[in-house]
């Protein structure tokens, strides 16, 4: 019997990392978490153990700590790395750009340096549809020109370029760049989900907090966009589908596939009002809202052409907006305060 491949998940205790942990474990891999818990909660580890019924391998520490990363990779004979660790709040990146350049670029740099000292040259990177800026047309294909409107987006773009340069320097590197659209929803168990610190920036966690009574109403930023109902349109994708995309990416690279950059979305846009209505239907709770001014930097519409991921990875999204809302609601209503107040032993 061959040993299950060990996969290092930097930022593996976060929203996308934790769901990917479960998907990898269920696909027969041995996921190993490295997380500094700066924007995640140790309590997620208990939940992961409950879902997977197996011990959770986790090292607390920073991806910027080259020695630690190298030792961890050697100790677990890591076959591939998925690099989730990074800051992601657009507004904060504008206010504190150096925090973002330091963490997101410094983290990637240190990780690549640590990997260089191991036999592992296989890396999946969490990129974002933000690299498309304001797209000239829709749906967005991977060859659209890239741009950025804030330091967060800039870090994603530069990380993509860093990977291109290391591939160029040494063809042994195999990288999978996943450009996420709008991840949402939660594991159907209701045990893990999105747990933003402070005021949520993203739509779905804000909606769920309104529905559970933590916030009085939703601000809908803009009602006069050139979209069917005037509100912003995005490609919302269930976190379970996104997690599966990582499994497909790792499997392809470990089987020897060439490096790739793919959109990870459902290939369909939903407006803010579509989300509000679908959520009300799924939860049975009203979501009061008020229209507010457009949010600076927002684009009217953004949705993927998701056909390349289907072609290259044989992956496509299967969950509907209704399922995203139902699962987001199960998580939020079972855990009104997220992971807070949960004992954190594993
Ligand atoms: N949005 C909103 N109210 C909120 C948060 C977001 O109306 O409290 C809108 C936002 O203007 C955009 C959509 O919801 O049209 C998705 O925003 P999110 O921040 O979740 O994703 P992104 O804009 O990064 O794609």
């Amino acid at each position: 019997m061959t040993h299950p491949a060990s996969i290092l998940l930097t930022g593996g205790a976060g929203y996308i990392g934790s769901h990917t942990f479960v998907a990898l474990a269920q696909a027969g891999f041995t996921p190993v978490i490295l997380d500094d818990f700066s924007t995640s909660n140790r309590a997620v580890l208990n939940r992961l153990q409950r879902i997977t019924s197996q011990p959770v391998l986790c090292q607390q520490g920073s991806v910027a700590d080259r020695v630690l990363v190298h030792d961890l990779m050697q100790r677990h004979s890591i076959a591939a790395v998925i690099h989730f660790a990074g800051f992601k709040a657009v507004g904060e990146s504008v206010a504190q750009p150096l925090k973002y350049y330091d963490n997101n670029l410094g983290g990637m740099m240190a990780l690549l340096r640590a990997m260089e000292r191991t036999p592992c040259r296989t890396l999946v990177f969490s990129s974002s549809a933000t690299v498309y800026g304001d797209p000239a047309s829709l749906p967005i294909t991977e060859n659209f020109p890239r741009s950025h409107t804030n330091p967060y987006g800039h870090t994603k773009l530069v990380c993509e370029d860093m990977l291109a340069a290391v591939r160029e320097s040494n063809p042994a590197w195999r990288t999978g760049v996943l450009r996420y659209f709008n991840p949402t929803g939660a594991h159907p168990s209701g045990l893990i989900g999105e747990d933003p610190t402070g005021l949520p920036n993203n739509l779905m966690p804000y909606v769920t907090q309104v529905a559970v009574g933590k916030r009085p109403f939703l601000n809908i930023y803009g009602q006069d966009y050139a979209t069917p109902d005037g509100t912003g349109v995005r490609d919302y994708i269930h976190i379970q589908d996104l997690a599966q995309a990582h499994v497909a990416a790792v499997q392809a690279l470990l089987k020897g596939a060439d490096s790739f950059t793919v959109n990870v979305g459902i290939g369909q846009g939903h407006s803010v009002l579509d989300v509000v209505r679908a959520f009300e239907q799924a939860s049975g709770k009203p979501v009061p809202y008020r229209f507010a001014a457009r949010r600076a930097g927002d684009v009217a519409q953004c949705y993927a052409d998701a056909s390349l991921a289907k072609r290259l990875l044989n992956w496509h999204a299967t969950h509907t907006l209704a399922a995203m809302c139902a699962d987001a609601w199960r998580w939020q209503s079972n855990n009104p305060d997220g992971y807070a107040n949960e004992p954190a032993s594993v």
Side-chain angles (χ1 to χ4, degrees):
M1 203 180 84
T2 54
H3 204 61
S6 295
I7 314 296
L8 177 62
L9 311 187
T10 75
Y15 173 47
I16 303 175
S18 58
H19 288 78
T20 301
F21 179 98
V22 173
L24 285 168
Q26 288 172 348
F29 291 99
T30 301
V32 179
I33 294 174
L34 170 68
D35 206 297
D36 66 2
F37 299 103
S38 58
T39 56
S40 58
N41 192 312
R42 286 190 67 86
V44 74
L45 305 177
N46 282 325
R47 307 292 184 90
L48 292 176
Q49 192 169 325
R50 280 172 67 186
I51 295 171
T52 61
S53 306
Q54 64 187 50
V56 173
L57 298 172
C58 176
Q59 169 74 53
Q60 179 162 2
S62 169
V63 69
D65 184 341
R66 268 195 230 176
V67 175
L68 176 78
V69 174
H70 175 257
D71 287 353
L72 189 63
M73 290 188 68
Q74 294 292 76
R75 196 154 19 103
H76 291 280
S77 304
I78 295 294
V81 178
I82 309 182
H83 182 37
F84 297 105
F87 293 147
K88 61 171 188 176
V90 172
E92 186 186 50
S93 81
V94 174
Q96 299 180 62
L98 298 182
K99 175 175 173 180
Y100 276 68
Y101 290 118
D102 189 28
N103 190 60
N104 293 6
L105 301 186
M108 174 64 103
M109 181 87 81
L111 175 63
L112 292 171
R113 283 297 214 181
M115 288 179 71
E116 263 190 332
R117 295 183 51 227
T118 75
C120 175
R121 296 282 178 279
T122 304
L123 177 64
V124 174
F125 173 58
S126 304
S127 191
S128 163
T130 192
V131 301
Y132 296 117
D134 194 354
S137 63
L138 293 158
I140 299 169
T141 53
E142 289 80 357
N143 55 5
F144 270 34
R146 297 176 314 153
S147 64
H148 61 88
T149 52
N150 55 68
Y152 160 73
H154 194 196
T155 66
K156 292 292 176 194
L157 210 144
V158 173
C159 282
E160 287 195 357
D161 290 344
M162 284 164 74
L163 293 181
V166 296
R167 282 196 307 267
E168 183 72 27
S169 73
N170 178 355
W173 280 96
R174 264 204 284 270
T175 66
V177 172
L178 302 183
R179 291 182 178 153
Y180 306 156
F181 279 68
N182 291 65
T184 190
H187 190 268
S189 64
L191 286 168
I192 57 173
E194 189 169 13
D195 184 21
T197 35
L199 197 67
N201 294 304
N202 296 115
L203 178 63
M204 188 65 89
Y206 208 104
V207 167
T208 61
Q209 291 196 5
V210 171
V212 84
K214 292 182 81 171
R215 317 231 171 244
F217 57 87
L218 169 73
N219 283 302
I220 296 185
Y221 300 131
Q223 63 179 132
D224 57 353
Y225 282 112
T227 61
D229 65 21
T231 66
V233 166
R234 296 289 184 274
D235 186 332
Y236 297 96
I237 174 170
H238 198 298
I239 189 72
Q240 291 290 91
D241 282 327
L242 184 57
Q244 282 306 326
H246 292 81
V247 174
V250 164
Q251 283 171 336
L253 292 171
L254 290 181
K255 278 191 199 139
D258 288 339
S259 295
F260 54 82
T261 296
V262 294
N263 288 338
V264 187
I266 69 170
Q268 194 191 336
H270 289 107
S271 73
V272 178
L273 285 172
D274 289 338
V275 172
V276 169
R277 285 192 208 102
F279 189 86
E280 288 183 329
Q281 184 105 41
S283 65
K285 296 277 175 190
V287 178
Y289 62 82
R290 293 183 189 169
F291 287 109
R294 290 181 179 192
R295 192 170 61 174
D298 269 357
V299 302
Q301 304 201 63
C302 177
Y303 54 89
D305 177 329
S307 58
L308 185 63
K310 171 80 182 143
R311 224 164 42 244
L312 293 183
L313 306 178
N314 197 26
W315 168 90
H316 68 282
T318 60
H319 292 74
T320 59
L321 181 61
M324 299 176 215
C325 292
D327 289 332
W329 176 238
R330 189 176 304 105
W331 155 251
Q332 181 74 70
S333 52
N334 289 351
N335 307 271
D337 298 317
Y339 296 111
N341 313 321
E342 165 115 359
S345 61
V346 149

